[in-house]
Amino acid sequence: MAFDYSPQDLQFADDVRAFIQANLDAGVRKKILSGMLPTRSEREKWQKSLYARGWAAPSWPVEFGGTGWTVVQRHIFDEVLTEEGAPGFPVFGMSMLAPVLMRFGTERQKREILPAILTMDDFWCQGFSEPGAGSDLAGVRSTARLEDGFWIINGQKIWTTLAHEANKIFVLVRTSVAEKKQLGLSILLLAMDTPGITVRPIITIDNHHEVNEVFFDDVRVPAENIIGEEGLGWTYAKFLLGHERTSIARIGQSRRELKRLIATASTIPWRDGMVSQAPWFKRRHAQIEIRHRILEATTLRLLAMVAEGGKPGSEANLLKIHGSEVQQDLAELWMDVVGEYGFAYGQDAIADIGEMVPWEANYVAGSYFNSRKLSIYGGSNEIQRNIIAKSALGL
Ligand SMILES: Cc1cc2nc3c(=O)[nH]c(=O)nc-3n(C[C@H](O)[C@H](O)[C@H](O)COP(=O)(O)OP(=O)(O)OC[C@H]3O[C@@H](n4cnc5c(N)ncnc54)[C@H](O)[C@@H]3O)c2cc1C
């Protein structure tokens, strides 16, 4: 496919940018650019404004509320959104659960669940990982047994992102005992306020509350709250994780950070000039930018393949590895650019550093530590490399 944007594409990008600038709350924008998390109500407000404009789910088929845009338009949309500091889409519902339901769900599930994802009236979280079942996800030990028309769930999930804000969760649980551990798993759908669910926060090294432990103690869910067939959860989970990996490269965010790095580096003194003129900065910035452009071209190629009915193969694993590494390299370069000003990390520190340094210095350390997660979640990068070695290289 051609990689040059047409005049219509560029006009489309301008329209999207104008919409964001007119509708996105300035406080939310600054929060996101500072590496802080928007609240659920801030996300919901933004998602509802996209919904009102008909832009709630560009990746979905039109029949379910998608936009019908081309692959390039969707890419531009994502990119402008992240460049402008808009909240991300509610990824667990929109990019993971929804594609699985569209393919394997019942008509009733599609009718009842998908519209509430579009408006964010329902905010979903993903309960897959457990202590001892992360990379080896098939090792899931939480169970659900069928009793009088209800699944009774017992067990524990961990690292459940935004479980404290979500009102719905999809969980991978063992519903039958099989010789092969990949068999006998199922995905169940439940409300977070179901009796027997306990959410405990995990505070990460950047002092944020993003992830949680979730405990299930005789939690009862109607039998029909299962996706597809009992025991085929592994098949659905693999389908779902393929979608997770294609959306995890965050091309637009890295492009934004590449630009902002130059802007900030040109305000911080270095020897007789500014950091932006330092050979070490120019070299590292150029290296990251080259990798970023390769990533973007690969993403467009993958999206074009999917648009023509192809299935993401090891390209999705490749994107996950390179996308996360580019973001981590950027976070490291940010740390070196702000230098000792980065010590000011903390929500109140900005008042103390005042006019001395760009406000970005205030959040850089937090973003650096937070970016460690990128090569772990969505399947660690070591696991991605194992998959590529096996599936693409036949090793
Ligand atoms: C910030 C964050 C958010 C998350 N959000 C969610 C969420 O919302 N929902 C959810 O279900 N999960 C979530 N996860 C969990 C995530 O998917 C797991 O952390 C990940 O799959 C790794 O599993 P683990 O933590 O158990 O590490 P382990 O599997 O114990 O791995 C530990 C280390 O060993 C390496 N390793 C393991 N096996 C192999 C192997 N076969 N070959 C080579 N190296 C190997 C890994 O690469 C890693 O470096 C999140 C994780 C993080 C950090």
Side-chain angles (χ1 to χ4, degrees), residues 92 125-137 157-162 204 210-211 244 370 373-383 386:
F92 300 109
C125 63
Q126 176 199 21
F128 276 18
S129 304
E130 296 183 1
S135 303
D136 182 19
L137 189 58
K157 297 292 170 184
I158 195 166
W159 309 121
T160 320
T161 302
L162 300 178
T204 42
E210 188 175 4
V211 285
E244 179 183 24
N370 190 276
K373 73 183 178 190
L374 300 168
S375 45
I376 303 172
Y377 71 13
S380 78
N381 285 12
E382 288 79 16
I383 295 300
N386 283 352

Coordinates of all heavy atoms in Angstrom, one line a residue, residues 92 125-137 157-162 204 210-211 244 370 373-383 386, ligand 1:
F92 N -10.3 -2.5 27.3 CA -10.7 -3.9 27.7 C -12.0 -4.3 27.1 O -12.2 -5.4 26.6 CB -10.7 -4.1 29.2 CG -9.3 -3.8 29.8 CD1 -9.1 -2.7 30.6 CD2 -8.3 -4.7 29.6 CE1 -7.9 -2.4 31.1 CE2 -7.0 -4.4 30.1 CZ -6.8 -3.2 30.8
C125 N -13.1 -4.5 32.9 CA -11.7 -4.9 33.1 C -11.5 -6.3 32.8 O -12.4 -7.1 32.6 CB -11.3 -4.5 34.6 SG -12.2 -5.4 35.8
Q126 N -10.2 -6.7 32.7 CA -9.8 -8.0 32.2 C -9.2 -8.9 33.4 O -8.1 -8.5 33.9 CB -8.8 -7.9 31.1 CG -8.2 -9.2 30.6 CD -6.9 -9.0 29.9 OE1 -6.2 -8.0 30.1 NE2 -6.5 -9.9 29.0
G127 N -9.9 -9.9 33.7 CA -9.4 -10.8 34.8 C -8.9 -12.1 34.3 O -9.6 -13.1 34.3
F128 N -7.7 -12.0 33.8 CA -7.0 -13.2 33.2 C -5.9 -13.7 34.2 O -5.9 -14.8 34.7 CB -6.5 -13.0 31.8 CG -7.5 -13.1 30.7 CD1 -8.8 -13.1 30.9 CD2 -7.0 -13.3 29.4 CE1 -9.7 -13.3 29.9 CE2 -7.9 -13.4 28.3 CZ -9.3 -13.4 28.6
S129 N -4.9 -12.8 34.4 CA -3.7 -13.2 35.1 C -4.0 -13.6 36.6 O -4.9 -13.0 37.2 CB -2.7 -12.1 35.1 OG -2.4 -11.7 33.8
E130 N -3.2 -14.5 37.1 CA -3.3 -15.0 38.5 C -1.9 -15.1 39.0 O -0.9 -15.2 38.2 CB -4.0 -16.3 38.6 CG -5.4 -16.3 38.1 CD -6.1 -17.7 38.3 OE1 -5.5 -18.6 38.8 OE2 -7.3 -17.8 37.9
P131 N -1.7 -15.1 40.3 CA -0.4 -15.5 40.8 C 0.0 -16.9 40.3 O -0.8 -17.8 40.5 CB -0.6 -15.5 42.4 CG -1.8 -14.7 42.6 CD -2.7 -14.9 41.4
G132 N 1.1 -17.0 39.5 CA 1.5 -18.3 39.0 C 0.9 -18.5 37.6 O 1.1 -19.6 37.0
A133 N 0.0 -17.6 37.1 CA -0.5 -17.8 35.8 C -0.5 -16.5 35.1 O -1.6 -15.8 35.0 CB -1.9 -18.4 35.8
G134 N 0.6 -16.1 34.6 CA 0.8 -14.8 33.8 C 1.2 -15.2 32.4 O 0.4 -15.4 31.5
S135 N 2.5 -15.4 32.3 CA 3.1 -15.9 31.0 C 2.4 -17.3 30.7 O 2.0 -17.6 29.5 CB 4.6 -16.1 31.1 OG 5.2 -14.9 31.4
D136 N 2.4 -18.1 31.7 CA 1.7 -19.4 31.5 C 0.3 -19.3 31.9 O -0.2 -19.9 32.9 CB 2.5 -20.4 32.4 CG 1.9 -21.8 32.3 OD1 1.3 -22.1 31.2 OD2 2.1 -22.6 33.2
L137 N -0.5 -18.6 31.0 CA -1.9 -18.3 31.3 C -2.8 -19.5 31.4 O -3.7 -19.5 32.2 CB -2.4 -17.3 30.2 CG -3.8 -16.7 30.5 CD1 -3.8 -15.9 31.7 CD2 -4.2 -15.8 29.3
K157 N -7.5 -13.2 41.0 CA -6.9 -12.6 39.9 C -5.9 -11.6 40.4 O -6.0 -11.0 41.5 CB -7.9 -12.0 38.9 CG -8.9 -13.0 38.3 CD -8.2 -13.9 37.3 CE -9.0 -15.0 36.9 NZ -8.3 -16.0 36.0
I158 N -4.9 -11.2 39.5 CA -3.9 -10.2 40.0 C -3.6 -9.3 38.8 O -3.8 -9.7 37.6 CB -2.7 -10.8 40.6 CG1 -1.8 -9.8 41.3 CG2 -1.8 -11.5 39.5 CD1 -0.8 -10.4 42.2
W159 N -3.1 -8.1 39.1 CA -2.7 -7.1 38.1 C -3.9 -6.6 37.3 O -3.8 -6.2 36.1 CB -1.6 -7.6 37.1 CG -0.5 -8.2 37.7 CD1 0.0 -9.5 37.6 CD2 0.5 -7.6 38.7 NE1 1.1 -9.7 38.3 CE2 1.4 -8.5 39.0 CE3 0.5 -6.3 39.2 CZ2 2.5 -8.3 39.9 CZ3 1.6 -6.0 40.1 CH2 2.5 -7.0 40.4
T160 N -5.1 -6.7 37.8 CA -6.3 -6.3 37.1 C -6.4 -4.8 37.0 O -6.8 -4.1 37.9 CB -7.6 -6.9 37.8 OG1 -7.2 -8.2 38.3 CG2 -8.7 -7.0 36.8
T161 N -6.1 -4.3 35.8 CA -6.0 -2.9 35.6 C -7.4 -2.3 35.7 O -8.4 -2.7 35.1 CB -5.5 -2.6 34.1 OG1 -4.2 -3.2 34.0 CG2 -5.4 -1.1 33.9
L162 N -7.5 -1.2 36.5 CA -8.7 -0.4 36.7 C -9.9 -1.2 37.2 O -11.0 -0.7 37.1 CB -9.0 0.4 35.4 CG -7.9 1.4 35.0 CD1 -8.4 2.0 33.7 CD2 -7.6 2.4 36.0
T204 N 1.7 1.1 42.6 CA 2.9 0.8 41.8 C 4.0 1.8 42.2 O 3.8 2.8 42.9 CB 2.7 0.8 40.3 OG1 1.8 1.9 40.0 CG2 2.0 -0.4 39.9
E210 N -3.3 1.8 39.7 CA -3.7 1.4 38.4 C -4.2 0.0 38.4 O -5.1 -0.4 37.7 CB -2.6 1.7 37.4 CG -2.9 1.5 35.9 CD -1.8 1.9 35.0 OE1 -0.7 2.2 35.5 OE2 -1.9 1.8 33.8
V211 N -3.5 -0.8 39.2 CA -3.7 -2.3 39.1 C -4.2 -2.8 40.5 O -4.0 -2.1 41.5 CB -2.4 -3.1 38.7 CG1 -2.2 -2.9 37.2 CG2 -1.2 -2.6 39.5
E244 N -5.3 -7.5 21.6 CA -4.6 -6.7 22.6 C -3.3 -6.2 22.0 O -2.9 -5.1 22.1 CB -4.4 -7.4 23.9 CG -3.7 -6.7 24.9 CD -3.4 -7.5 26.2 OE1 -3.4 -8.7 26.1 OE2 -3.2 -6.8 27.3
N370 N 6.9 3.9 35.4 CA 5.7 3.3 34.9 C 5.9 2.5 33.5 O 5.3 1.5 33.3 CB 4.6 4.3 34.7 CG 3.2 3.7 34.4 OD1 2.9 3.4 33.3 ND2 2.4 3.6 35.4
K373 N 6.4 -1.4 32.9 CA 5.4 -2.4 32.7 C 5.2 -2.8 31.2 O 4.7 -3.8 30.9 CB 4.0 -1.8 33.2 CG 3.5 -0.7 32.3 CD 2.2 -0.1 32.9 CE 1.7 1.0 31.9 NZ 0.6 1.7 32.5
L374 N 5.6 -1.9 30.3 CA 5.3 -2.1 28.9 C 5.8 -3.4 28.3 O 5.2 -3.9 27.4 CB 5.7 -0.9 28.1 CG 5.1 0.5 28.5 CD1 5.8 1.6 27.9 CD2 3.6 0.5 28.2
S375 N 7.0 -3.8 28.8 CA 7.5 -5.0 28.3 C 7.1 -6.3 29.0 O 7.5 -7.4 28.8 CB 9.1 -4.9 28.2 OG 9.6 -4.4 29.5
I376 N 6.2 -6.0 30.0 CA 5.6 -7.1 30.8 C 4.2 -7.5 30.4 O 3.8 -8.6 30.1 CB 5.7 -6.8 32.3 CG1 7.1 -6.5 32.7 CG2 5.1 -8.0 33.1 CD1 7.2 -6.0 34.2
Y377 N 3.3 -6.4 30.4 CA 1.9 -6.7 30.2 C 1.6 -7.0 28.7 O 2.4 -6.8 27.9 CB 1.0 -5.7 30.8 CG 0.9 -4.3 30.2 CD1 1.4 -4.0 28.9 CD2 0.2 -3.3 30.9 CE1 1.2 -2.8 28.4 CE2 0.1 -2.0 30.3 CZ 0.6 -1.8 29.1 OH 0.5 -0.6 28.5
G378 N 0.4 -7.5 28.5 CA 0.0 -7.9 27.2 C 0.9 -9.1 26.7 O 1.0 -9.3 25.5
G379 N 1.4 -9.9 27.6 CA 2.4 -11.0 27.3 C 3.8 -10.4 27.3 O 4.1 -9.5 26.4
S380 N 4.7 -10.8 28.1 CA 6.0 -10.2 28.2 C 6.8 -10.3 26.9 O 6.5 -11.2 26.1 CB 6.8 -10.9 29.3 OG 7.3 -12.1 28.9
N381 N 7.8 -9.5 26.7 CA 8.5 -9.5 25.5 C 9.3 -10.8 25.2 O 9.4 -11.2 24.1 CB 9.4 -8.3 25.4 CG 8.7 -7.0 25.1 OD1 7.4 -7.0 25.2 ND2 9.3 -5.9 24.8
E382 N 9.7 -11.4 26.3 CA 10.4 -12.7 26.2 C 9.4 -13.7 25.5 O 9.7 -14.5 24.6 CB 10.9 -13.3 27.5 CG 12.1 -12.5 28.1 CD 11.7 -11.2 28.8 OE1 10.5 -11.0 29.0 OE2 12.6 -10.4 29.0
I383 N 8.1 -13.7 26.0 CA 7.1 -14.6 25.5 C 6.8 -14.3 24.1 O 6.7 -15.2 23.2 CB 5.8 -14.5 26.4 CG1 6.1 -15.0 27.8 CG2 4.7 -15.3 25.8 CD1 6.6 -16.5 27.9
N386 N 9.5 -15.8 22.0 CA 9.3 -17.3 21.9 C 8.2 -17.6 20.9 O 8.4 -18.5 20.1 CB 8.8 -17.8 23.3 CG 9.9 -18.0 24.3 OD1 11.1 -17.8 24.0 ND2 9.5 -18.3 25.5
Ligands
LIG1 C1 0.9 -2.8 34.8 C2 0.3 -4.1 34.5 C3 -1.0 -4.2 34.1 C4 -1.6 -5.5 33.9 N1 -2.9 -5.5 33.6 C5 -3.5 -6.7 33.5 C6 -4.9 -6.8 33.3 O1 -5.7 -5.8 33.3 N2 -5.5 -8.1 33.3 C7 -4.8 -9.2 33.3 O2 -5.3 -10.3 33.2 N3 -3.4 -9.2 33.4 C8 -2.8 -8.0 33.5 N4 -1.4 -7.9 33.7 C9 -0.6 -9.1 33.9 C10 0.3 -9.4 32.7 O3 -0.4 -9.9 31.6 C11 1.4 -10.4 33.3 O4 2.1 -9.7 34.2 C12 2.3 -10.9 32.3 O5 1.6 -11.8 31.4 C13 3.5 -11.6 32.9 O6 3.1 -12.6 33.8 P1 3.7 -12.6 35.3 O7 3.6 -11.3 35.8 O8 3.0 -13.7 36.0 O9 5.2 -13.0 35.1 P2 5.9 -14.4 34.9 O10 5.1 -15.2 33.9 O11 6.1 -15.0 36.2 O12 7.3 -14.0 34.2 C14 8.4 -13.5 35.0 C15 9.5 -13.3 34.0 O13 9.9 -14.6 33.4 C16 9.9 -14.5 32.0 N5 9.4 -15.8 31.5 C17 8.3 -16.5 31.9 N6 8.1 -17.6 31.1 C18 9.1 -17.6 30.2 C19 9.4 -18.4 29.1 N7 8.7 -19.5 28.8 N8 10.5 -18.1 28.3 C20 11.2 -17.0 28.6 N9 11.0 -16.1 29.6 C21 9.9 -16.4 30.4 C22 8.9 -13.4 31.7 O14 9.2 -12.8 30.5 C23 9.2 -12.4 32.9 O15 10.4 -11.6 32.6 C24 -0.8 -6.6 33.9 C25 0.6 -6.5 34.2 C26 1.1 -5.3 34.5 C27 2.6 -5.2 34.9

